[in-house]
Amino acid sequence: MPKKKTHKGAAKRFKETGTGKLMHARIGHSHILEKKSPKRKRKLRGEAVLGGKHAKNVKSLIK
């Protein structure tokens, strides 16, 4: 059976930590920012951990 290729789109959007968790940028911080409060925009800056079934599916794409 041939090797599975890395899904390049997913590889650019998700990063794996040393412990195996997947990190992603929070959604909603690219445009239409005028109507969002400063507090909300601050919270959108950081990265978030991807969990559950989503993490399992994305791991199979980026490995």
Side-chain angles (χ1 to χ4, degrees), residues 14 22 49-61:
F14 301 97
L22 290 171
V49 178
L50 190 70
K53 285 279 187 185
H54 297 296
K56 186 179 178 188
N57 293 339
V58 171
K59 270 190 185 181
S60 70
L61 291 174

Side-chain angles (χ1 to χ4, degrees), residues 8-57:
K8 291 301 185 181
K12 292 169 189 174
R13 288 170 173 81
F14 301 97
K15 300 292 175 222
E16 196 169 5
T17 64
T19 57
K21 294 177 186 173
L22 290 171
M23 303 297 288
H24 67 94
R26 291 186 183 276
I27 62 167
H29 194 60
S30 59
H31 60 102
I32 314 175
L33 297 172
E34 278 187 357
K35 63 173 104 173
K36 294 172 185 163
S37 69
K39 181 180 178 180
R40 186 170 162 198
K41 288 187 278 192
R42 259 196 320 274
K43 297 229 180 245
L44 291 173
R45 271 187 218 150
E47 291 189 327
V49 178
L50 190 70
K53 285 279 187 185
H54 297 296
K56 186 179 178 188
N57 293 339

Side-chain angles (χ1 to χ4, degrees), residues 1-5 60:
M1 188 146 175
K3 291 182 181 179
K4 190 172 177 188
K5 289 189 175 180
S60 70

